[in-house]
Amino acid sequence: MNHSATSKDSIALVTGANKGIGKEIARQLAAAGLTVYVGSRDAARGERAASEIGGGARPLLLDVTDDDSVAAAARLVGSLDVLVNNAGIMVDDRRPDEADAASFRRTFETNLFAVLTVTNAFLPALRRSPAPRIVNVSSGTGSLTLSTDPAQGFAVAGGAGAAYRSSKTALNALTLFYAQTLAEAGFKVNALAPGLRRTELNDRAAGSDGDPAEAAAGAVRLALLPDDGPTGGFFSWDGTPMPW
């Protein structure tokens, strides 16, 4: 049987899902018939987002940077088929010679360490699934290959956004290591480059015309991969492989 996480009794969790790309991922998963936990560190915002999404959306109080909050959320979710680690922040756009360790720590706390904490907390629930899927929302700006290619004319020039970009490079590495670790258990673990989207990540994103729904569709594709789908990969929102 070629399992897919699209069955009607499948359960998903999306972190940072009360707005932006995360909310759109939750909306599309709910539209596909899944029960979707809308992770939000603010209870009221999470409840509002879940009611706006409707269908199988349920609010879940979850501050990914708070170990107690993560543990409490994990106790409420007995079984899980899909985990989308979407919560992420961009503290500033500084180059490394202007940055300080505090801004790097804060960035890595959410973009890397929290992914480790959340994933490990929900692994017991995911292991009960016949087709467990993990999607880590990364960034094309975390690609070292693209960052060193002068032909790319990369949108974020030079070493700007050093904390954010290096946190996503590290997230890509963690994604690969989880994929290798969990392969025998049938997990598919992949990273997504959503592209520049109209979100509150930073001023540039807020002023862009990139549709969050388009990026979300890429995440949903990875969330609902069949058994013969890829694992340990880094993919653009349109499904094409991204260089590391």
Side-chain angles (χ1 to χ4, degrees):
M1 179 178 164
N2 193 26
H3 285 120
S4 170
T6 49
S7 63
K8 294 293 180 189
D9 55 354
S10 289
I11 300 169
L13 163 61
V14 184
T15 67
N18 60 285
K19 62 181 181 180
I21 294 172
K23 184 178 179 183
E24 191 55 43
I25 293 170
R27 186 195 306 282
Q28 292 184 25
L29 286 170
L34 282 76
T35 296
V36 183
Y37 286 102
V38 178
S40 174
R41 64 185 175 186
D42 181 289
R45 287 178 185 165
E47 286 165 15
R48 190 178 326 124
S51 66
E52 287 170 0
I53 292 167
R58 301 176 182 174
L60 181 68
L61 187 62
L62 175 58
D63 180 346
V64 298
T65 62
D66 182 323
D67 289 359
D68 291 338
S69 173
V70 172
R75 284 194 294 271
L76 295 173
V77 180
S79 58
L80 192 64
D81 301 282
V82 174
L83 171 61
V84 182
N85 287 305
N86 165 78
I89 60 169
M90 186 169 187
V91 173
D92 58 51
D93 201 26
R94 288 184 288 179
R95 300 173 191 276
D97 59 337
E98 308 159 338
D100 53 48
S103 64
F104 264 69
R105 284 194 191 98
R106 192 176 150 212
T107 303
F108 272 70
E109 199 66 53
T110 296
N111 295 1
L112 184 72
F113 306 148
V115 173
L116 185 77
T117 303
V118 170
T119 301
N120 287 350
F122 286 92
L123 269 183
L126 285 162
R127 287 185 188 277
R128 297 187 187 105
S129 171
R133 306 290 181 253
I134 299 173
V135 183
N136 294 330
V137 178
S138 183
S139 170
T141 68
S143 165
L144 296 179
T145 304
L146 292 182
S147 296
T148 53
D149 183 357
Q152 286 293 327
F154 218 69
V156 184
Y164 176 80
R165 293 169 70 182
S166 59
S167 74
K168 295 300 189 177
T169 307
L171 176 62
N172 287 348
L174 185 63
T175 302
L176 175 61
F177 304 148
Y178 266 124
Q180 292 171 336
T181 302
L182 299 170
E184 285 189 14
F187 280 70
K188 304 289 183 189
V189 188
N190 293 286
L192 175 80
L196 184 63
R197 301 294 163 187
R198 191 174 53 252
T199 66
E200 295 174 20
L201 179 70
N202 57 28
D203 290 343
R204 212 169 131 260
S208 80
D209 57 4
D211 187 353
E214 201 171 52
V220 170
R221 189 183 305 115
L222 293 174
L224 305 180
L225 282 174
D227 281 352
D228 60 357
T231 191
F234 181 26
F235 297 95
S236 178
W237 57 271
D238 64 1
T240 57
M242 291 284 287
W244 295 112

